[in-house]
Amino acid sequence: MSVRLTNLGGRASLAFDDRVVDVERRSGGRFSSDPMQAIEQWDAFATWAAGQTVGDDARECDRSQLQACVPRPRCVYAIGLNYRDHAEEAGLEIPRTLPSCLAGPSADVPLTSDRVDWEVELVVVIGRGGRQIAESRAFDHVAGYCVGQDISDRRLQFGDRPPQFSLGKSAQAFGPIGPALVSLDGVKDRDDLALTCDVDGERMQDSRTRQMIFSVSELVAYLSRTCELWPGDLIFTGTPSGVGSVREPRRYLAAGEVIASEIEGLGRLRNRCVAPAPPSPDV
Ligand code: ZN
């Protein structure tokens, strides 16, 4: 059985179709309610979780209560220009974005300018940390995948010199992920999954992860050559063609529009764009 770890109202929960089981209660306290704790001991957790089935303690999953399935990674890597149909030429660009941008699969996204763009991406969740990870062993270090949106404010990203790649992607709710962290045995082909993004019902992106220039195992090996990877770290693996800023004519997100992002076997995010949040009051 594949494992689908969700974060329901801040509590680690196992998803079985539309029903969820609370991890702390089901495990009698062996695993805590904090989803990060499950990820930090992923091998033990996944072994336990794979033996669980939906039972009397299962509840209906209220999707509006789902939060980021990996709520507090140490680090979020965002790979730029990683799809053949998106990049003019191969060239890795790896900004780190801030974990405070992460949000749940149904979170509202406050727009920060009139040039906010969508980017559906496969997100890799590290399960076992390390440095100098060999490409051939990379998947031993991956807990699983989830769907992500790397929402990007092109005005902030390209308006400054030098460009602010990280800040442009780090605003509140600019990194919705979910709906669950899915173990790799839950996907048909870990190197070839269909991914799509619809904005208000219009298909904007439609590709497959085999189109990536650098595969998941290459990315894990590449990053770990320089950085120490930690359990729970996220790698946003880049987006295929069809983003708004390179469409003819250009198209950006407007308040009220819904971004639907889906990856085969991993589920779907549904995020509504809203007017910018008011600034925090002065203290
Ligand atoms: Zn991106």
Side-chain angles (χ1 to χ4, degrees):
M1 270 290 279
S2 65
V3 175
R4 304 179 86 89
L5 174 65
T6 62
N7 176 356
L8 188 67
R11 295 187 63 88
S13 306
L14 289 176
F16 300 93
D17 295 320
D18 291 338
R19 301 179 74 73
V20 281
V21 168
D22 187 86
V23 165
E24 184 184 31
R25 290 189 203 111
R26 174 66 78 87
S27 71
R30 181 177 165 204
F31 299 102
S32 84
S33 59
D34 181 358
M36 293 309 294
Q37 200 228 24
I39 297 162
E40 277 153 19
Q41 36 180 316
W42 183 255
D43 290 341
F45 176 77
T47 303
W48 170 80
Q52 305 301 311
T53 52
V54 69
D56 291 344
D57 55 341
R59 291 180 298 148
E60 196 83 13
C61 179
D62 176 358
R63 277 190 65 106
S64 70
Q65 296 299 308
L66 286 176
Q67 300 177 9
C69 52
V70 185
R72 299 182 315 280
R74 284 188 185 231
C75 201
V76 181
Y77 300 93
I79 312 298
L81 307 177
N82 197 25
Y83 275 80
R84 290 182 203 291
D85 55 355
H86 182 50
E88 296 279 15
E89 53 185 15
L92 268 189
E93 163 219 299
I94 308 183
R96 281 166 35 145
T97 64
L98 307 175
S100 59
C101 73
L102 296 175
S106 308
D108 286 347
V109 178
L111 299 176
T112 49
S113 82
D114 54 354
R115 291 197 193 157
V116 178
D117 205 348
W118 54 86
E119 293 187 352
V120 65
E121 304 197 9
L122 175 72
V123 176
V124 176
V125 183
I126 297 298
R128 199 185 294 164
R131 282 185 190 273
Q132 308 281 347
I133 298 167
E135 205 185 305
S136 58
R137 306 303 303 265
F139 279 107
D140 296 347
H141 293 261
V142 173
Y145 291 159
C146 62
V147 185
Q149 257 293 335
D150 182 21
I151 295 169
S152 304
D153 184 337
R154 308 295 184 201
R155 200 177 269 289
L156 187 55
Q157 210 179 344
F158 298 113
D160 282 349
R161 260 167 217 287
Q164 293 286 359
F165 284 104
S166 293
L167 278 182
K169 295 165 175 286
S170 291
Q172 183 196 341
F174 271 28
I177 56 170
L181 159 53
V182 179
S183 61
L184 292 173
D185 52 351
V187 297
K188 249 192 275 175
D189 181 342
R190 63 194 189 184
D191 290 309
D192 184 23
L193 299 171
L195 76 172
T196 57
C197 176
D198 296 349
V199 176
D200 256 17
E202 186 183 340
R203 175 95 358 141
M204 298 296 186
Q205 295 183 279
D206 188 352
S207 188
R208 302 195 66 92
T209 59
R210 68 157 185 265
Q211 299 290 328
M212 294 198 299
I213 296 166
F214 295 91
S215 67
V216 169
S217 43
E218 286 173 307
L219 290 174
V220 168
Y222 179 87
L223 287 171
S224 71
R225 233 172 275 155
T226 308
C227 314
E228 179 165 4
L229 298 180
W230 291 83
D233 281 353
L234 302 181
I235 306 170
F236 280 67
T237 56
T239 200
S241 66
V243 301
S245 53
V246 295
R247 294 182 89 85
E248 280 296 335
R250 290 182 189 182
R251 158 117 194 237
Y252 296 104
L253 293 163
E257 289 186 322
V258 172
I259 315 163
S261 320
E262 191 164 355
I263 301 181
E264 186 182 5
L266 303 181
R268 186 179 214 225
L269 315 177
R270 204 172 172 284
N271 301 96
R272 181 177 298 278
C273 302
V274 297
S280 303
D282 291 336
V283 184

